[in-house]
Amino acid sequence: MLGIGGLTGKKWHSRRALQAAEMLDEVVDSQLPLVTELSEESRRRSAEYLSELVMLAQDYRHFAAGWIDQAELERRGNATVARLEVLSKHRSPARLTEQD
């Protein structure tokens, strides 16, 4: 049985998770218009980064809904960070074109 403090703590964690999801959504939304101005390769790479953030926001919503626990959220967050690190290490060197 949950005590008053447990219930309050759970609501607080859910609220914080939803705030984190909203913040990630705002980051993605603010970057989307800029993606269209990039070269094809840069657009692809940026889309991969942004899709990772979208999925992480969804994980926070799943946590807030009680579908996953704190440990699973942490595992998914760590996996996202690892994928972002791999993406950043595999980026090709910048190439200047006549348009640059």
Side-chain angles (χ1 to χ4, degrees):
M1 179 174 178
L2 288 175
I4 297 292
L7 185 58
T8 302
K10 187 174 182 178
K11 285 183 181 180
W12 182 83
H13 287 295
S14 293
R15 188 171 56 246
R16 293 284 300 197
L18 290 174
Q19 289 172 344
E22 289 174 18
M23 185 268 311
L24 288 167
D25 289 341
E26 289 173 12
V27 169
V28 171
D29 289 345
S30 71
Q31 296 302 306
L32 281 176
L34 304 175
V35 172
T36 60
E37 300 172 13
L38 300 172
S39 69
E40 183 177 343
E41 184 178 332
S42 294
R43 274 195 311 266
R44 181 188 53 76
R45 191 170 51 248
S46 294
E48 289 175 3
Y49 278 97
L50 294 176
S51 68
E52 290 293 337
L53 297 181
V54 168
M55 295 302 294
L56 183 59
Q58 190 64 31
D59 292 335
Y60 275 99
R61 287 186 184 86
H62 289 169
F63 172 77
W67 297 341
I68 62 173
D69 62 12
Q70 180 87 29
E72 180 62 15
L73 177 61
E74 186 172 337
R75 186 193 68 73
R76 292 180 184 192
N78 289 336
T80 298
V81 170
R83 285 189 300 271
L84 290 173
E85 287 175 353
V86 167
L87 288 172
S88 69
K89 289 179 183 175
H90 286 101
R91 62 183 284 208
S92 60
R95 292 185 297 252
L96 295 179
T97 64
E98 289 181 24
Q99 292 177 336
D100 293 335

